[in-house]
Amino acid sequence: MSARIISGTEIAAQIREELKKEVAELKEKHGIVPGLITILVGKNPASVSYVTGKQKTAHELGFYSLQDDQPENISEADLLKLIDKYNNDPKIHGILVQLPIPKHIDEKKVLNAINPDKDVDAFHPVNVGRLMIGGDEAKFLPCTPAGIQELIMRSGFETSGAEVVVVGRSNIVGKPIANMLLQKGKGANATVTVVHTGTKNLEAHCKRADILIVAAGVPHLVKPEWIKPGACVIDVGVNRVGEKISEKTGKTVPILRGDVDFDAAKEIAGAITPVPGGVGPMTITMLMKNTVTSAKMAAGIK
Ligand code: NAP
């Protein structure tokens, strides 16, 4: 039987509708408008497109949102000053510096300069620590892992007691999602294994997974025979494997492939995310959710 497709596009749209209502209510009842600043250094085309998408979504949700474009040659000191300005701006609740930034600037210094209470990407060491502690301590969850957790929960998969295997241990996906799912509480309480290039028998671990989360960045790394029948498969990988002409626009677009062989895996899995249209649409949505949370925190609203 073919797996149920977990549509990130649909679930993200649902969450955005919920956020839109929440933003309207915050405005009406409390006079609060969530504020998001995106800082872009240089003109890297992929970064321009990511930042444009974030701004567009923020506008649609009714945020106060600003785009701050800075030249490629901005000094580290000036970028840090700019962050400090937004740290002290009460209209701004979320600060996002689009990565990557030019090599002459220390990325760590920049991310660490953001006030942790406005760090809606949740990359600041304080927020990483809060996530490790879990419970009420975690103010913001990093966007891609938060999106993955929502996809699992909203598609009705029980995480409590489940065997979860995470392929990949990056700071932005693998490590945080593993930490989130092992916490005690709703949408978590799982038994989590993290596998990586040092793992001896990747296949054996994957085969045990009730929930398999793959974030390796290797096209079709996970073979269909590695999947436990009925498992929930979350494919985070987005790999460009070529280009094609879009039927819709006539423009050249990248051919994207996930880390899981989708067509074959869907005959074995119970549910699976497609690429594109799975985890991708959730990431921006969770950034918006964090900004709303930050605005509420700043106003002392639970
Ligand atoms: P990353 O920093 O390159 O980390 C990849 C991880 O996978 C590493 O821990 C690596 O192990 C492990 N790995 C790589 N090849 C492996 C193999 N053959 N066997 C076992 N483990 C292997 O990547 P990332 O930033 O986490 O991203 C992963 C993928 O997700 C990429 O395709 C990226 O584009 C995509 N992504 C998508 C979104 C989204 O919103 N949809 C967001 C973020 C990332 P070692 O640590 O041992 O090297």
Side-chain angles (χ1 to χ4, degrees):
M1 206 177 76
S2 206
R4 185 155 51 89
I5 307 302
I6 303 175
S7 168
T9 309
E10 280 172 21
I11 294 175
Q14 258 173 36
I15 298 174
R16 285 180 202 188
E17 273 314 304
E18 292 164 14
L19 286 174
K20 220 178 201 173
K21 281 192 197 126
E22 202 175 349
V23 171
E25 214 177 281
L26 275 177
K27 223 179 261 186
E28 204 182 293
K29 286 195 187 154
H30 304 279
I32 296 164
V33 181
L36 175 70
I37 179 77
T38 50
I39 301 172
L40 176 65
V41 180
K43 288 195 166 62
N44 174 319
S47 297
V48 171
S49 129
Y50 292 145
V51 161
T52 308
K54 288 166 189 171
Q55 281 297 326
K56 185 171 166 274
T57 311
H59 279 293
E60 283 166 5
L61 296 183
F63 284 18
Y64 166 67
S65 68
L66 289 177
Q67 163 71 26
D68 191 331
D69 290 324
Q70 292 295 325
E72 182 86 25
N73 63 357
I74 186 175
S75 70
E76 185 179 280
D78 283 348
L79 185 57
L80 293 175
K81 250 190 244 160
L82 191 70
I83 291 171
D84 197 46
K85 183 182 99 175
Y86 292 121
N87 277 341
N88 291 301
D89 182 342
K91 292 200 297 299
I92 296 297
H93 305 103
I95 302 172
L96 181 137
V97 179
Q98 184 63 47
L99 300 178
I101 47 179
K103 295 231 175 335
H104 67 277
I105 301 173
D106 183 344
E107 184 180 297
K108 229 190 233 172
K109 249 192 206 169
V110 169
L111 296 182
N112 291 359
I114 298 172
N115 176 347
D117 289 340
K118 295 190 178 189
D119 168 41
V120 284
D121 251 343
F123 290 156
H124 192 289
V126 166
N127 284 320
V128 176
R130 287 170 172 170
L131 179 143
M132 280 285 287
I133 296 166
D136 287 351
E137 199 63 42
K139 312 281 184 221
F140 309 120
L141 298 172
C143 302
T144 300
I148 295 171
Q149 194 175 35
E150 285 285 344
L151 286 177
I152 298 169
M153 286 169 72
R154 289 182 187 239
S155 53
F157 270 86
E158 182 54 81
T159 52
S160 184
E163 287 283 342
V164 173
V165 175
V166 179
V167 183
R169 57 177 162 189
S170 71
N171 287 332
I172 63 165
V173 190
K175 280 185 203 159
I177 189 63
N179 269 298
M180 284 158 61
L181 293 180
L182 62 77
Q183 300 291 340
K184 213 166 196 169
K186 209 173 139 229
N189 211 28
T191 304
V192 183
T193 306
V194 182
V195 297
H196 42 75
T197 56
T199 300
K200 280 191 185 131
N201 191 342
L202 205 58
E203 178 176 350
H205 288 287
C206 292
K207 270 183 173 160
R208 279 193 296 108
D210 301 313
I211 299 174
L212 179 63
I213 300 167
V214 193
V218 180
H220 290 189
L221 171 70
V222 172
K223 311 291 174 245
E225 60 273 19
W226 296 12
I227 296 168
K228 180 174 173 179
C232 170
V233 179
I234 307 288
D235 188 354
V236 189
V238 182
N239 307 291
R240 288 175 181 232
V241 294
E243 286 183 338
K244 62 177 182 184
I245 306 290
S246 159
E247 280 176 23
K248 256 193 206 161
T249 62
K251 287 185 185 164
T252 306
V253 290
I255 300 172
L256 300 179
R257 191 163 286 169
D259 287 354
V260 178
D261 180 352
F262 177 84
D263 288 331
K266 76 177 186 338
E267 300 308 319
I268 298 164
I272 187 167
T273 56
V275 177
V279 176
M282 296 296 290
T283 300
I284 290 186
T285 304
M286 301 321 287
L287 176 76
M288 302 300 143
K289 192 170 181 191
N290 281 347
T291 308
V292 172
T293 303
S294 175
K296 283 163 61 182
M297 262 168 34
I301 301 165
K302 286 251 171 183

